[in-house]
Amino acid sequence: MTVNKHKDIIINKYSQYDEDERLDSDRGHHMEYLTTMRYIQKYLKPEDKILEIGAGTGRYSIALAKMGYDVTAVDLTPKHVEIMKQKSKKLKNFKCMEADALDLNMFEDKSFDMVLNFGPMYHLFHKKDKNQAIKETLRVAKKNGICMFAYLPCASFMIGFGLRHKMVAYLSSVMDEKGRPKDIPSEIFNCFYIEEFKKLFKKTNTKYITNVATDGIAYAMREWVEELPKKDYEAFINWHFLTCERPDQQGYSAHLLYICKKK
C-alpha cells in the first residue's frame, strides 16, 4: 500500500484551517469556484458517476450531488470528512470517506465517468508520489472518462507568500536555479511550472484537453477586484471566462486546472 509519508503534516494543517469557508472568503477565491464548476459542468454528461479526490469539505461534490449526480468524495483529513457527512445527511446519492490519493484500492478499475483530483497535487513532494496520484486517478476512471487535476503554479508562491507577506528573501533562498520553490514538506504546499506539470502526463494513456487558470489575476489583484461595482465585477468574470485558457493569462493565477480524457 502506497501512502503519503507526509500525511500528518497535511492533516495538521487542514485541521487548523477553515477550508469550508475558503471559496467564499472573497471574490478572488469565489472565481476559482465559479470557473472550476463551469468546466466540470461543461464536460459532465447525464447519469455520469463522479469521484472527487481531495474533496475538502465537499463544496464541489455536494453541489454536484444536489444536481442529481452520483458522487463519491474522499479526503485525507478526518475533519473534512466529518464536515461532509454532516452537510450531506439528506443526500442519498452522495457518500464520502477518508482516503489517500496514492492508494484508492477501495475502488475498482474504470469505476467513474469523471474523476476530480482537487487537492492532492498541492501536497506531494516526491516525483514517484506525483506519478502515483495521477496513476490512481486514471486507474479508477472509465475509458473516455474526464479527469481534472488542480495544481499550483510557481508564480503564485511569489505573489501570495513572497510579496503579500514580505517574505521574498526567504522564498528566494529555497528556490532552485530555475526560480522554482523546491519541494519542502514542512512548507505544506508545492508548485509546478505549467510545462513541468504537463510532462507528468507524457507517458499516460490520456488525451490532453486544456489547461485553465481558475482564478486568473483575481488572486494577485484581490483588493481591486473586491472594490469593483457589481456591474464591473460581472464584466470582469465574463472576460476571465473568455481568456482563462490562454497561456498568457495563466502564469499568475493562484490555481490551475489540467483537464484530460482517458483513452
Side-chain angles (χ1 to χ4, degrees):
M1 181 175 67
T2 304
V3 297
N4 189 332
K5 295 178 181 178
H6 309 292
K7 63 184 296 184
D8 291 341
I9 296 175
I10 300 164
I11 291 172
N12 182 60
K13 162 69 177 178
Y14 283 104
S15 294
Q16 301 176 51
Y17 180 74
D18 189 2
E19 177 65 21
D20 199 41
E21 297 296 326
R22 184 181 70 85
L23 292 172
D24 288 319
S25 59
D26 56 48
R27 284 174 165 178
H29 284 90
H30 192 57
M31 187 171 289
E32 176 193 346
Y33 173 79
L34 293 175
T35 309
T36 302
M37 187 60 81
R38 180 183 178 90
Y39 277 87
I40 291 172
Q41 291 179 279
K42 179 177 180 178
Y43 293 102
L44 267 179
K45 302 183 298 296
E47 309 303 325
D48 271 0
K49 188 176 179 181
I50 305 167
L51 171 66
E52 184 179 3
I53 309 164
T57 58
R59 182 62 189 279
Y60 295 105
S61 291
I62 292 175
L64 291 165
K66 288 179 178 179
M67 294 176 192
Y69 291 98
D70 181 331
V71 182
T72 301
V74 301
D75 197 85
L76 189 65
T77 303
K79 172 187 172 183
H80 289 171
V81 176
E82 183 57 36
I83 291 173
M84 283 193 282
K85 288 180 179 179
Q86 293 299 319
K87 292 168 67 175
S88 63
K89 286 182 176 180
K90 296 181 180 180
L91 293 172
K92 295 182 179 180
N93 56 326
F94 177 86
K95 52 184 173 289
C96 61
M97 64 195 76
E98 291 178 35
D100 190 323
L102 303 185
D103 181 14
L104 300 174
N105 67 80
M106 67 288 297
F107 304 122
E108 295 182 359
D109 296 0
K110 303 175 184 178
S111 296
F112 299 93
D113 302 284
M114 178 176 283
V115 185
L116 310 173
N117 185 313
F118 281 0
M121 304 307 292
Y122 301 170
H123 308 295
L124 298 173
F125 303 95
H126 307 289
K127 185 176 180 179
K128 65 177 183 178
D129 287 347
K130 297 170 187 178
N131 289 331
Q132 176 65 15
I134 292 171
K135 180 180 178 181
E136 279 292 88
T137 298
L138 298 177
R139 178 183 67 79
V140 299
K142 295 179 181 179
K143 182 178 180 180
N144 295 320
I146 298 295
C147 297
M148 300 188 182
F149 296 82
Y151 67 106
L152 307 176
C154 294
S156 69
F157 277 51
M158 182 56 79
I159 295 170
F161 182 61
L163 295 178
R164 296 188 70 85
H165 296 285
K166 298 180 175 62
M167 296 290 287
V168 175
Y170 170 73
L171 195 61
S172 297
S173 73
V174 296
M175 286 181 177
D176 62 21
E177 66 281 359
K178 295 182 179 179
R180 174 191 177 279
K182 297 176 182 177
D183 288 345
I184 303 173
S186 60
E187 296 295 346
I188 310 298
F189 295 95
N190 72 342
C191 64
F192 300 84
Y193 282 128
I194 294 172
E195 66 274 14
E196 176 186 45
F197 193 81
K198 289 181 177 180
K199 284 181 181 179
L200 293 174
F201 294 84
K202 189 173 182 180
K203 295 182 180 180
T204 63
N205 189 30
T206 60
K207 179 181 179 181
Y208 171 75
I209 295 176
T210 192
N211 196 69
V212 181
T214 52
D215 37 22
I217 63 171
Y219 176 71
M221 298 184 169
R222 66 182 74 173
E223 288 84 359
W224 289 8
V225 174
E226 286 297 314
E227 294 173 358
L228 287 174
K230 182 179 179 180
K231 185 176 181 179
D232 288 300
Y233 176 58
E234 291 173 350
F236 177 70
I237 290 176
N238 290 334
W239 173 81
H240 168 71
F241 288 157
L242 289 172
T243 62
C244 61
E245 292 185 48
R246 289 184 56 86
D248 56 5
Q249 298 290 349
Q250 295 183 359
Y252 290 99
S253 182
H255 303 83
L256 296 173
L257 188 64
Y258 181 94
I259 305 175
C260 62
K261 177 185 287 189
K262 181 178 177 180
K263 294 181 181 178

